[in-house]
Amino acid sequence: MDVLRVEGLKAFYIVESAGEQRAVKAVNDVSLSVRENEVLGIAGESGCGKSTLLKSLLGNIRPPLRHMGGKVTYLQGEREVDILSLGKEERQKLMWQHISYVPQGSLSVLNPVRRIGDTFRSFVGAHLEIKKEPGRFESLVKRHLEDLGLPVDTLKAYPHQLSGGMRQRVTIALATILKPRLILADEPSTALDVVVQRGVIQLLRDIQTEQRNTIVMVTHDMAIHANISDRVAIMYAGRIIEEAPVEQIFMKPLHPYTQYLIGSLPRIGDKSHRISAPGAPPSLVSLPPGCAFHPRCPQAKPICRQEIPALSLAAKEHRVACFLAAKEDADVDSTEAAGSR
Ligand SMILES: Nc1ncnc2c1ncn2[C@@H]1O[C@H](COP(=O)(O)OP(=O)(O)OP(=O)(O)O)[C@@H](O)[C@H]1O
Ligand SMILES: [Mg+2]
């Protein structure tokens, strides 16, 4: 069952330079759906629009970002909520209890002059009617911290007294204390060293197992997706160019860009030279015509310079926006199907 559906979403930054208005096309016709209890990973190199997509999914579109088209619908049982049509207050009601957010750079979101316990108190107090019942607040927070394997003493500390990994765990604890159905996490472990990273990812996974919620996980780090994501969507220049179950993305990437992303990962025992994509991503202000990847694509054909490929089904649950990949795979599948008969 889907819990979130995105259709043709466009969100551009409208910026002025030298007296002219320009549109930075950060989210450019994105459609995707998120299923109940899954971890959907979103990957892609820096500047491709991952954070802007998450902000738009939260309905948090403020100037210079502008909603240029498309819909974001949350499904709460029978109820469908079009988040981009909600006023700020209605949106706030949906936030934290139904949807929560771990923003990028969240190591610095904790108030430096407040003890962690006070931050929890005001956060929980703002959402639940438990201000007059201090005992209930204490037990709720303590139980949650214990469930996440965090020492209860953390509540007495100021943020600067905690390590980066601990601060990130506290931020995640804060984002999940109200047991939201959906957690949108933006690079939650990127600023941390590898060992601590693993702990934070494990924490998110444990929360998901325990609370049975859905996670949309943004990170450019494919190794993290291999660890936590059930499905992965790859973004390039504001669009989703490939989407598939995680094993499929790693075993059989179809888009040449995804092949570069996967091919550049180190593998144990493999000493062959790793090739990354040549050139740099295009400017989101003036995208090349056709497929935005064509200037970097070794296999580009004339059609790739003229038309934008649609994200279409190439194999079971596997979509790709590439003229070559979609066609080749369809051929392979039909041969395989014929052979198995
Ligand atoms: N306030 C802003 N005004 C204008 N352009 C912006 C603004 N914020 C972001 N952008 C541009 O929008 C594009 C997408 O940015 P975004 O932060 O969504 O990328 P990202 O994929 O999250 O990158 P990273 O991996 O570095 O976090 C980039 O080209 C960025 O320069
Ligand atoms: Mg980002």
Coordinates of all heavy atoms in Angstrom, one line a residue, residues 120 141-151 169-177 199 203-204 206-208 210-211:
F120 N 13.7 18.2 24.6 CA 12.7 17.1 24.5 C 11.4 17.6 25.1 O 10.3 17.4 24.6 CB 13.1 15.9 25.2 CG 13.8 14.9 24.3 CD1 15.2 14.9 24.2 CD2 13.1 14.0 23.6 CE1 15.9 14.0 23.4 CE2 13.8 13.1 22.7 CZ 15.1 13.1 22.6
V141 N 9.9 9.8 27.6 CA 11.3 10.1 27.1 C 12.3 9.1 27.5 O 13.1 8.6 26.7 CB 11.7 11.5 27.5 CG1 13.1 11.8 27.1 CG2 10.8 12.6 26.9
K142 N 12.2 8.7 28.8 CA 13.2 7.6 29.2 C 13.0 6.4 28.4 O 14.0 5.7 28.0 CB 13.0 7.4 30.7 CG 13.7 8.4 31.6 CD 13.7 8.0 33.0 CE 14.3 9.2 33.8 NZ 13.8 9.2 35.1
R143 N 11.8 5.9 28.3 CA 11.5 4.7 27.6 C 12.0 4.7 26.1 O 12.7 3.8 25.7 CB 10.0 4.3 27.6 CG 9.8 2.8 27.4 CD 8.4 2.4 27.6 NE 7.5 3.1 26.7 CZ 6.4 3.8 27.1 NH1 6.1 3.8 28.4 NH2 5.7 4.4 26.3
H144 N 11.8 5.9 25.5 CA 12.2 6.0 24.1 C 13.7 6.0 24.0 O 14.3 5.3 23.2 CB 11.7 7.4 23.6 CG 11.9 7.6 22.1 ND1 11.5 6.7 21.2 CD2 12.6 8.5 21.4 CE1 11.9 7.1 20.0 NE2 12.5 8.2 20.1
L145 N 14.4 6.7 24.9 CA 15.9 6.7 24.9 C 16.4 5.3 25.1 O 17.4 4.8 24.5 CB 16.5 7.7 25.9 CG 16.3 9.2 25.6 CD1 17.1 10.0 26.6 CD2 16.7 9.6 24.2
E146 N 15.8 4.6 26.1 CA 16.3 3.2 26.4 C 16.1 2.3 25.2 O 16.9 1.5 24.8 CB 15.5 2.7 27.6 CG 16.2 3.1 28.9 CD 15.3 3.0 30.1 OE1 14.2 2.4 30.0 OE2 15.7 3.4 31.2
D147 N 14.9 2.5 24.5 CA 14.6 1.7 23.3 C 15.7 1.9 22.3 O 16.0 1.0 21.5 CB 13.2 2.1 22.7 CG 12.1 1.5 23.5 OD1 12.3 0.6 24.4 OD2 10.9 1.9 23.3
L148 N 16.2 3.2 22.2 CA 17.2 3.5 21.2 C 18.6 3.2 21.7 O 19.6 3.5 21.0 CB 17.1 4.9 20.7 CG 15.7 5.4 20.2 CD1 15.9 6.8 19.6 CD2 15.2 4.4 19.2
G149 N 18.7 2.7 22.9 CA 20.1 2.4 23.4 C 20.9 3.6 23.8 O 22.1 3.6 23.8
L150 N 20.2 4.7 24.2 CA 20.9 5.9 24.6 C 20.8 6.1 26.1 O 19.7 5.8 26.7 CB 20.2 7.2 23.9 CG 20.3 7.3 22.4 CD1 19.4 8.5 22.0 CD2 21.7 7.5 22.0
P151 N 21.9 6.5 26.7 CA 21.9 6.6 28.2 C 20.9 7.7 28.6 O 20.9 8.8 27.9 CB 23.3 6.9 28.6 CG 24.0 7.2 27.3 CD 23.2 6.7 26.1
R169 N 22.2 10.9 17.1 CA 21.3 9.9 17.7 C 20.2 10.7 18.4 O 19.0 10.3 18.4 CB 22.0 9.0 18.7 CG 22.8 7.9 18.0 CD 23.7 7.3 19.0 NE 24.8 6.7 18.3 CZ 24.9 5.4 18.2 NH1 24.0 4.6 18.7 NH2 25.9 4.8 17.5
V170 N 20.6 11.7 19.2 CA 19.6 12.5 19.9 C 18.6 13.2 18.9 O 17.4 13.2 19.2 CB 20.3 13.6 20.8 CG1 19.3 14.6 21.3 CG2 21.0 12.9 21.9
T171 N 19.1 13.7 17.8 CA 18.2 14.3 16.8 C 17.2 13.3 16.3 O 16.0 13.6 16.1 CB 19.0 14.9 15.7 OG1 20.1 15.7 16.2 CG2 18.2 15.7 14.7
I172 N 17.7 12.1 16.0 CA 16.9 11.0 15.5 C 15.9 10.6 16.6 O 14.7 10.4 16.3 CB 17.7 9.8 15.0 CG1 18.5 10.3 13.8 CG2 16.8 8.6 14.7 CD1 19.5 9.3 13.3
A173 N 16.3 10.6 17.8 CA 15.4 10.2 18.9 C 14.3 11.3 19.0 O 13.1 10.9 19.2 CB 16.2 10.2 20.3
L174 N 14.6 12.5 18.8 CA 13.6 13.6 18.9 C 12.6 13.5 17.7 O 11.4 13.6 17.9 CB 14.4 14.9 18.7 CG 13.9 16.2 19.4 CD1 13.6 16.0 20.8 CD2 14.9 17.3 19.2
A175 N 13.2 13.1 16.6 CA 12.3 13.0 15.4 C 11.4 11.8 15.4 O 10.4 11.8 14.7 CB 13.2 13.0 14.1
T176 N 11.7 10.9 16.3 CA 10.9 9.6 16.3 C 10.1 9.4 17.6 O 9.4 8.4 17.7 CB 11.8 8.4 16.0 OG1 12.9 8.4 17.0 CG2 12.4 8.4 14.6
I177 N 10.2 10.3 18.5 CA 9.6 10.1 19.8 C 8.0 10.0 19.7 O 7.4 9.3 20.4 CB 10.0 11.1 20.9 CG1 9.5 10.6 22.2 CG2 9.6 12.5 20.6 CD1 10.2 11.2 23.4
G199 N 26.5 3.0 13.2 CA 25.6 2.9 14.4 C 24.3 3.7 14.1 O 23.3 3.3 14.5
L203 N 20.6 2.4 14.0 CA 19.6 2.9 14.9 C 18.3 3.2 14.1 O 17.2 2.8 14.5 CB 20.1 4.3 15.5 CG 19.1 5.1 16.3 CD1 18.7 4.3 17.5 CD2 19.7 6.4 16.7
L204 N 18.5 3.8 12.9 CA 17.3 4.1 12.0 C 16.6 2.7 11.7 O 15.4 2.7 11.7 CB 17.7 4.8 10.8 CG 17.8 6.3 10.9 CD1 18.4 6.9 9.7 CD2 16.4 6.9 11.1
D206 N 16.7 -0.1 13.4 CA 16.0 -0.6 14.6 C 14.7 0.1 14.8 O 13.7 -0.5 15.1 CB 16.9 -0.5 15.8 CG 18.1 -1.3 15.7 OD1 18.1 -2.2 14.9 OD2 19.0 -1.1 16.5
I207 N 14.7 1.4 14.6 CA 13.4 2.2 14.8 C 12.4 1.7 13.9 O 11.2 1.5 14.2 CB 13.7 3.7 14.6 CG1 14.6 4.2 15.8 CG2 12.4 4.5 14.6 CD1 15.1 5.6 15.6
Q208 N 12.8 1.5 12.6 CA 11.9 1.1 11.6 C 11.3 -0.3 11.9 O 10.1 -0.5 11.8 CB 12.5 1.1 10.2 CG 11.6 1.2 9.1 CD 11.5 0.0 8.2 OE1 12.3 -0.9 8.4 NE2 10.6 0.0 7.3
E210 N 11.0 -1.6 14.9 CA 10.2 -1.5 16.2 C 8.9 -0.7 15.9 O 7.9 -1.1 16.3 CB 11.1 -0.8 17.2 CG 10.5 0.1 18.2 CD 10.1 -0.7 19.5 OE1 10.7 -1.8 19.7 OE2 9.3 -0.1 20.2
Q211 N 9.0 0.4 15.3 CA 7.8 1.3 15.1 C 7.1 1.0 13.8 O 6.0 1.5 13.6 CB 8.2 2.8 15.1 CG 8.9 3.2 16.4 CD 9.1 4.8 16.4 OE1 8.9 5.5 15.4 NE2 9.5 5.3 17.6

